[in-house]
Amino acid sequence: MSPLFRLLWFNLFICVNTEERGFRVKLDEFSVRYKVRDLIEHIDFRIAQINNRSYVNGEMTLKCVVRDIDMHTTMDFWKANNQNKIKLYDVRLDACEFLRTAHRNGLFNIYVKSFKKHTKADLNCPLKTNYNYSLRNWHMNEKDLPPYVPFGKFRTITEYFTQQRLALRIVTQGKVVINK
């Protein structure tokens, strides 16, 4: 099955549902590394495991206005008891455009809505100088995902570029487990 077909299939079945899900998304890693020292004043993100849920908290302050942001993001998935990697997506795009049009892609819409729900920041371009971009108690709400998501492990790598320089790299690893 092609990666594009899998992504389209996943998007077709995304729905908001109020029933309890039989799975939980658990994060094992959320690491943020910045490469451009003259861009970022302060950055700190961490995971907390509370009541069988993973929460990400953190903040970032920029030293200067950022007008152009390109993004390269990938997501790989390994089903439980299977060594074969499935690439769910591998895309390069303009991050500012992405923030404006994420609603057009079901999977990315889930992420953007989730981030906006857990941040007090204005997630629009240009990014502001000396503004505290903070994320509080961010987690993947299973009710925002399709009713069935296979158990397994996943890894996302998202890189942000400005002025054709790698500025920030975020690696997220986790798993989809039985909801207990």
Side-chain angles (χ1 to χ4, degrees):
M1 192 184 315
S2 76
L4 179 58
F5 181 77
R6 280 192 297 273
L7 186 58
L8 290 172
W9 177 86
F10 189 75
N11 288 337
L12 285 174
F13 290 96
I14 288 180
C15 63
V16 176
N17 196 332
T18 58
E19 69 184 54
E20 188 68 25
R21 298 288 195 243
F23 62 89
R24 173 82 55 174
V25 177
K26 183 174 190 276
L27 298 179
D28 299 317
E29 177 186 357
F30 187 90
S31 64
V32 180
R33 295 200 172 81
Y34 65 101
K35 307 290 184 181
V36 181
R37 302 271 181 218
D38 60 335
L39 178 65
I40 297 174
E41 179 73 35
H42 169 75
I43 192 165
D44 180 34
F45 287 89
R46 60 216 159 275
I47 292 179
Q49 304 290 345
I50 303 169
N51 296 329
N52 196 28
R53 180 168 300 280
S54 305
Y55 296 95
V56 176
N57 291 291
E59 61 225 1
M60 176 180 72
T61 307
L62 301 174
K63 290 181 180 179
C64 59
V65 171
V66 178
R67 287 179 170 59
D68 70 293
I69 309 166
D70 292 314
M71 181 170 82
H72 176 222
T73 184
T74 65
M75 183 175 197
D76 298 319
F77 188 83
W78 296 263
K79 286 185 179 179
N81 303 321
N82 190 340
Q83 298 301 316
N84 296 330
K85 174 174 71 172
I86 300 168
K87 186 160 294 288
L88 293 178
Y89 57 80
D90 184 346
V91 294
R92 293 179 186 274
L93 45 93
D94 178 307
C96 295
E97 183 70 18
F98 169 75
L99 289 171
R100 286 189 299 270
T101 63
H103 64 279
R104 295 181 186 164
N105 178 299
L107 181 59
F108 293 142
N109 188 31
I110 291 170
Y111 293 130
V112 172
K113 279 176 135 177
S114 181
F115 282 121
K116 285 184 177 182
K117 193 183 322 181
H118 294 277
T119 186
K120 293 181 180 165
D122 178 18
L123 295 178
N124 292 307
C125 293
L127 298 181
K128 304 171 192 167
T129 305
N130 297 321
Y131 184 85
N132 184 3
Y133 290 93
S134 61
L135 193 59
R136 295 288 175 247
N137 296 322
W138 176 76
H139 62 281
M140 287 304 304
N141 187 337
E142 292 78 13
K143 292 178 182 176
D144 292 340
L145 297 170
Y148 172 76
V149 173
F151 299 121
K153 298 184 300 185
F154 63 87
R155 178 185 63 215
T156 63
I157 299 174
T158 305
E159 297 173 320
Y160 295 94
F161 299 83
T162 185
Q163 299 173 350
Q164 299 183 353
R165 299 183 299 169
L166 175 59
L168 198 65
R169 185 174 203 245
I170 301 172
V171 176
T172 306
Q173 292 190 103
K175 51 190 159 261
V176 179
V177 298
I178 295 172
N179 187 11
K180 297 179 183 180

